[in-house]
Amino acid sequence: MSHKVTPSQIGMIRIYMKPSDKATDGPRSFWTRKPLYRQLVVQAKRDGIMNAVAHHTHYGFSNHGPVMEDGAELSNPHLTMCVELIGQRHELERFCEAHGDLLGGKVIVYKHLEHWSIDPGGVRHQDAAPEELMAKAR
């Protein structure tokens, strides 16, 4: 094989919210505050999280709310979306604890994942059987 897959354990959280939810950053007006999903992605970058993306949806519901859909001409500011963060479990827990003021009342789901690193393959010295090592020495 020309490449080797090296698995490691990581996790993912999905934080569900409305696109219209705003970050709470002081006395600024509701209309000038940054959208919460953008603030969470920026904070995740600052906190060293491996991956952070915001997913918009077209149809669905969250937290037992009504089913909603995106309009043909205008987007629905109340339709559920999610921010997905991927990293080590302890980093994700620390993120949620540090930013609890932004996350209160949100549906947050954790999922265990396996991260694959793809590296050049070949037999490494520590993986080789004794007969392979003897053949290389000749």
Side-chain angles (χ1 to χ4, degrees):
M1 296 287 176
S2 63
H3 291 83
K4 179 173 177 31
V5 175
T6 306
S8 61
Q9 305 303 310
I10 60 171
M12 172 184 69
I13 60 171
R14 284 191 171 173
I15 306 162
Y16 294 90
M17 67 196 70
K18 298 174 189 173
S20 61
D21 287 349
K22 302 290 186 180
T24 55
D25 52 347
R28 293 172 40 183
S29 160
F30 176 84
W31 302 109
T32 61
R33 286 187 286 165
K34 183 182 276 191
L36 178 59
Y37 70 90
R38 289 178 178 256
Q39 183 67 24
L40 291 173
V41 169
V42 168
Q43 288 296 342
K45 180 67 172 172
R46 286 184 189 148
D47 291 355
I49 301 295
M50 176 193 295
N51 196 65
V53 295
H55 296 284
H56 287 276
T57 59
H58 303 285
Y59 188 75
F61 71 95
S62 182
N63 210 9
H64 305 289
V67 174
M68 301 188 137
E69 64 182 302
D70 212 5
E73 294 180 14
L74 296 173
S75 63
N76 182 343
H78 303 291
L79 180 63
T80 300
M81 65 171 300
C82 80
V83 172
E84 179 181 276
L85 306 180
I86 297 175
Q88 297 295 321
R89 182 181 179 119
H90 68 277
E91 293 171 332
L92 298 173
E93 288 174 354
R94 189 173 58 234
F95 180 88
C96 290
E97 292 168 352
H99 304 292
D101 56 327
L102 299 174
L103 302 174
K106 304 293 182 232
V107 173
I108 302 172
V109 179
Y110 175 83
K111 182 172 184 169
H112 176 264
L113 300 174
E114 190 172 86
H115 176 246
W116 288 4
S117 297
I118 310 298
D119 300 309
V123 177
R124 296 179 301 182
H125 179 76
Q126 62 268 27
D127 295 337
E131 55 273 3
E132 291 174 300
L133 291 174
M134 299 275 273
K136 283 188 175 195
R138 293 184 203 150

